[in-house]
Amino acid sequence: MERAPAYCLRLSCFNVLWVLATMDLGLGRVQALLQRVGSPQFKFPVIHVSGTNGKGSTTAYLDAFLTHAVGLRSARFNTPHLVTARDSLRTNGGIPIDDKTWDIAVQKTRLADARDVPIGATPFELLTVQALLACTLLPTASQPDVLLIEVGVGGRLDATNVFPSENVLASVICSIARDHEVLLGNRLSNIAQEKAGIIKPQGLCIVSDQTTGSFGSSPTTSSELLEILETLHSACQAQHARVVYTQVPWASLKPCPRKEPFGASVDLTLPLFNACDATKITYNTSSNASQRHIHFSLEATLARISGASTALQTLWSIAHDISSDQWIEIRKLIRKRLFQAEPSLIAQAAAQYRWEGRCEWMELGAVPLLLDGAHNEASALALRQYLDQCLAKTPSADITWIMGFSCGKEVHAMLQALLCPRKGLYHRVSLVPFSMPVEGMPWVKAMLPEECTSAVRSMNVECVTHDSLRDALTWASLHDQRPHIVVICGSLYLIGDYYRQLSF
């Protein structure tokens, strides 16, 4: 693979400077701003979710289970948004908060930031405060019972890490991989340490299954996996936290039939465990004997399997936690309505999962169109693995890839994962830029398509460039081979362009 051109390196350096200038991690500014708007971080119980991959899927499943099975009102905060910044705060099972409430929260937050001695909060800090404040501005009967908060970058110094220990029902650590290395470090132990910074003293921590077992390939080696687990466990021990390790039975997942023409589903039987004192167990031992097994079917993507498993283990651990605090009624409701009800209720709630742009099937005329925001090597591997499962019984097929990338991403590794040769599978690629500027994220820069063409062509793959997503989709729709799938991936900002320009 040839080296990136000097222009790309200069642009990446510029992007790094933007990140350092506008994503200055630290809690001083956001805490000061929260105090000016009435300290909304003290008003709700929270499930706080960090990690590299699977955070959004985990919060979406938590949302589905709490809303559609337990009957609690939950609000979730996820970034980046797809269309507008308002999308980052969702209520009622995944619906963006109403315009009026959001606009008032934005105005109040900006005025608070600028008054007296200006705080100078970063865009992400402003967004975080706006979201928390907006929850308190809803009518009392509509305010959330539980907040589901996804970390932006890292965890320890992330603007979302502002909740008091007594309000955090659980700290959840999803799959760890390399990403945002400029800010978090290039060793997985450094990244894991930053992600584990959300664990509270004497708190409850749920660690997602960090493996894929025999289910698929992973960029993480055995030694790297050991490094991650040891780091996370040491962090739990340092905080005297109760910890449980989610255990997905990857080897026993079984494909199941489905009605849709494309996609792939599996049957999952998940063991659930009670949390234990981190000082009394090790990372490679079960917390104790499994307390319950949950069975249901879901889409066969790593993110959904991991997200659903982590969400259920989290809610089980919260419901059976030994902590005696002001949230005892919430624990009782989760225990009674989710785990003591008919088993089919969990499957019904899981089917209400709503998370746009993550392995989401649409249509381009008569052609299946898959949207996936895969934006690093691990998520690219997961996407390709899912497509291979979807096409497992198809002797030959064409995939038209429409890709766009942010500057600074490991594009070569992502391309190797997505375009890996397979007998009977023909690839062709359109490279496009996503729209800029990205609302609220001025540091985000789209990589020019011309920077990646030689890398694609060196893999003996047809490659063209287009100026816009609309042009690329027009080109893709002219392909008349069957079976044929179109996949948009590489960046959530590109997925956002689809929703903004073409979906509504």
Side-chain angles (χ1 to χ4, degrees), residues 208-281:
S208 294
D209 194 321
Q210 300 290 317
T211 71
T212 58
S214 59
F215 188 70
S217 55
S218 168
T220 307
T221 64
S222 296
S223 60
E224 289 173 329
L225 175 61
L226 180 64
E227 183 180 352
I228 291 169
L229 290 172
E230 286 181 334
T231 301
L232 295 179
H233 196 77
S234 295
C236 288
Q237 289 180 321
Q239 295 286 20
H240 298 280
R242 299 175 301 286
V243 63
V244 61
Y245 293 90
T246 308
Q247 297 178 34
V248 179
W250 298 107
S252 63
L253 295 178
K254 297 179 180 179
C256 60
R258 54 182 291 136
K259 297 179 181 179
E260 294 82 356
F262 283 93
S265 300
V266 291
D267 284 326
L268 170 67
T269 300
L270 179 72
L272 298 174
F273 302 89
N274 289 344
C276 288
D277 186 337
T279 61
K280 297 179 180 179
I281 62 170

Side-chain angles (χ1 to χ4, degrees), residues 39-49 59 62-63 66 72-77 89-91 97 128 131-136 138 142-150 160 162-163 167-170 172 314-315 318 327 330:
S39 299
Q41 75 275 23
F42 294 110
K43 298 182 180 179
F44 305 98
V46 176
I47 300 176
H48 200 189
V49 183
T59 60
L62 285 168
D63 197 6
L66 289 172
L72 290 172
R73 295 185 302 274
S74 58
R76 59 183 167 105
F77 176 64
L89 180 62
R90 294 172 178 247
T91 59
I97 194 168
T128 301
L132 296 178
L133 176 59
C135 291
T136 70
L138 290 166
S142 301
Q143 289 185 9
D145 298 308
V146 181
L147 297 185
L148 310 171
I149 303 295
E150 177 188 341
T160 65
V162 292
F163 302 100
N167 283 51
V168 179
L169 296 172
V172 181
T314 298
L315 294 175
I318 290 172
W327 316 117
I330 287 178

Side-chain angles (χ1 to χ4, degrees), residues 5 16 69-70 83 90 102-103 118 123 141 171 221 235 345 350 470 504:
V16 167
V70 182
V83 180
R90 294 172 178 247
W102 182 253
D103 290 343
S171 301
T221 64
L345 183 63
R470 190 180 296 274
F504 302 128

Side-chain angles (χ1 to χ4, degrees), residues 107-380:
Q107 183 181 25
K108 286 179 175 291
T109 301
R110 290 178 177 172
L111 288 173
D113 180 57
R115 78 166 189 249
D116 302 328
V117 178
I119 293 173
T122 67
F124 185 72
E125 290 166 349
L126 290 170
L127 182 65
T128 301
V129 175
Q130 287 158 195
L132 296 178
L133 176 59
C135 291
T136 70
L137 297 176
L138 290 166
T140 302
S142 301
Q143 289 185 9
D145 298 308
V146 181
L147 297 185
L148 310 171
I149 303 295
E150 177 188 341
V151 164
V153 174
R156 181 176 63 92
L157 297 175
D158 185 75
T160 65
N161 196 21
V162 292
F163 302 100
S165 298
E166 60 270 22
N167 283 51
V168 179
L169 296 172
S171 301
V172 181
I173 314 296
C174 291
S175 176
I176 305 293
R178 287 185 171 84
D179 204 6
H180 299 297
E181 293 175 62
V182 171
L183 292 168
L184 306 180
N186 56 14
R187 289 184 59 87
L188 286 169
S189 59
N190 298 138
I191 296 172
Q193 189 68 44
E194 291 298 318
K195 305 290 186 182
I198 68 168
I199 300 171
K200 299 301 184 184
Q202 289 82 47
L204 173 65
C205 178
I206 287 79
V207 178
S208 294
D209 194 321
Q210 300 290 317
T211 71
T212 58
S214 59
F215 188 70
S217 55
S218 168
T220 307
T221 64
S222 296
S223 60
E224 289 173 329
L225 175 61
L226 180 64
E227 183 180 352
I228 291 169
L229 290 172
E230 286 181 334
T231 301
L232 295 179
H233 196 77
S234 295
C236 288
Q237 289 180 321
Q239 295 286 20
H240 298 280
R242 299 175 301 286
V243 63
V244 61
Y245 293 90
T246 308
Q247 297 178 34
V248 179
W250 298 107
S252 63
L253 295 178
K254 297 179 180 179
C256 60
R258 54 182 291 136
K259 297 179 181 179
E260 294 82 356
F262 283 93
S265 300
V266 291
D267 284 326
L268 170 67
T269 300
L270 179 72
L272 298 174
F273 302 89
N274 289 344
C276 288
D277 186 337
T279 61
K280 297 179 180 179
I281 62 170
T282 60
Y283 62 86
N284 60 354
T285 61
S286 297
S287 305
N288 46 38
S290 59
Q291 304 297 308
R292 174 81 181 271
H293 283 76
I294 301 293
H295 176 82
F296 62 101
S297 300
L298 72 168
E299 200 70 11
T301 73
L302 284 173
R304 292 202 189 182
I305 295 169
S306 179
S309 300
T310 304
L312 282 170
Q313 179 62 73
T314 298
L315 294 175
W316 175 271
S317 299
I318 290 172
H320 297 84
D321 195 22
I322 60 174
S323 178
S324 58
D325 54 27
Q326 60 183 313
W327 316 117
I328 189 67
E329 291 303 318
I330 287 178
R331 300 180 196 281
K332 286 181 179 179
L333 282 175
I334 295 172
R335 186 163 62 248
K336 178 181 179 180
R337 296 181 180 176
L338 187 62
F339 297 111
Q340 294 176 359
E342 288 293 321
S344 60
L345 183 63
I346 288 178
Q348 293 169 11
Q352 300 298 315
Y353 167 95
R354 181 173 180 173
W355 195 215
E356 297 93 338
R358 283 78 171 178
C359 273
E360 181 183 16
W361 287 101
M362 309 289 278
E363 291 182 351
L364 180 64
V367 178
L369 170 66
L370 183 63
L371 308 178
D372 193 82
H375 59 85
N376 55 36
E377 183 184 4
S379 55

Side-chain angles (χ1 to χ4, degrees), residues 399-414:
I399 299 181
T400 296
W401 301 88
I402 301 177
M403 301 179 181
F405 305 101
S406 297
C407 288
K409 292 290 184 176
E410 292 293 335
V411 174
H412 289 189
M414 294 171 65

